[in-house]
Amino acid sequence: MLVRAEQGASALKIGGIAIMRLLEEKIKTDGKVISKDVLKVDSFLNHQIDPDLMLEIGKEFAKIFANEEITKIVTIESSGIAPAVMTGLQLNVPVIFARKQKSLTLYESLLTTTVHSFTKKETNDISISKKYLDENDKILIIDDFLANGEAALGLVDLVQQANAQVAGIGIVIEKSFQPGAQKLKDLGLRVESLARIESLANGVVTFISEKVEELI
Ligand code: G4P
């Protein structure tokens, strides 16, 4: 667990920069670079989940978006759910996850869009029940990874179909060398990523923050 691994760093004492550094450290120590485009973080985010780390991530997103009057959080199954729920807990708002497969019990009318994953080379219809979003909602979108931006753009589309407002997008790991973040910013959307990876070249994770430090 994070708290044990960090020798008792109290969850409550961790501030903004600290959680970003902690996440970067976690990625460096536990992440595995699969190729120049793909990072495996199964041990704390995509398969086994580190609840302490997720809680800190939720607190940080809640702090970043504190002034946005968020009414609901929207994410996509499955790996977006853990950081989204922790953020919802902190902001005291409900969390909705878009489904990739039709649910047995989801029979009311749906907002639906199509998302193509370049990473997984698959296309999914994703949906949210119309009854959970409306024009009074200010939505925070949360997801684990931002690569080409297709999942986030799909979620933005669902929110807009409901005439709700996207107040911002919170990402745990942004692969900044891929075009997703820029696509979203070009639409005028606020994107806040806790870890920003500049490169996975030569099997090494390099963060944008490290480059910034080199320049100082
Ligand atoms: P995009 O949404 O930004 O365009 O990303 P892309 O289509 O390329 O990725 C779609 C899926 O692949 C997402 O998972 C995303 O989290 C995951 N993904 C993208 N890049 C990486 C990476 O470098 N490492 C890991 N571990 N995952 C990556 P998903 O299909 O929604 O699956 P799930 O894990 O949430 O169930």
Side-chain angles (χ1 to χ4, degrees), residues 109-211:
S109 44
L110 299 174
L111 305 163
T112 299
T113 195
T114 301
V115 169
H116 176 72
S117 167
F118 291 98
T119 308
K120 293 191 169 175
K121 297 182 180 54
E122 64 182 28
T123 301
N124 285 298
D125 283 339
I126 63 167
S127 21
I128 290 177
S129 169
K130 280 186 183 165
K131 75 175 175 191
Y132 294 123
L133 289 177
D134 67 38
E135 67 278 6
N136 300 314
D137 281 319
K138 283 191 79 180
I139 301 299
L140 172 58
I141 291 173
I142 296 282
D143 208 0
D144 57 333
F145 267 94
L146 179 57
N148 293 290
E150 295 298 309
L153 285 166
L155 295 176
V156 169
D157 184 21
L158 294 182
V159 172
Q160 291 176 342
Q161 285 182 38
N163 295 316
Q165 186 187 335
V166 178
I169 300 171
I171 299 293
V172 180
I173 303 175
E174 171 189 310
K175 292 187 290 179
S176 310
F177 57 91
Q178 292 180 309
Q182 198 53 52
K183 279 192 217 168
L184 296 166
K185 287 175 188 168
D186 287 348
L187 292 174
L189 297 164
R190 179 180 177 194
V191 181
E192 300 284 352
S193 305
L194 300 186
R196 299 173 71 213
I197 296 177
E198 191 199 57
S199 157
L200 294 174
N202 306 315
V204 177
V205 185
T206 308
F207 295 102
I208 287 188
S209 60
E210 295 172 276
K211 290 288 162 181

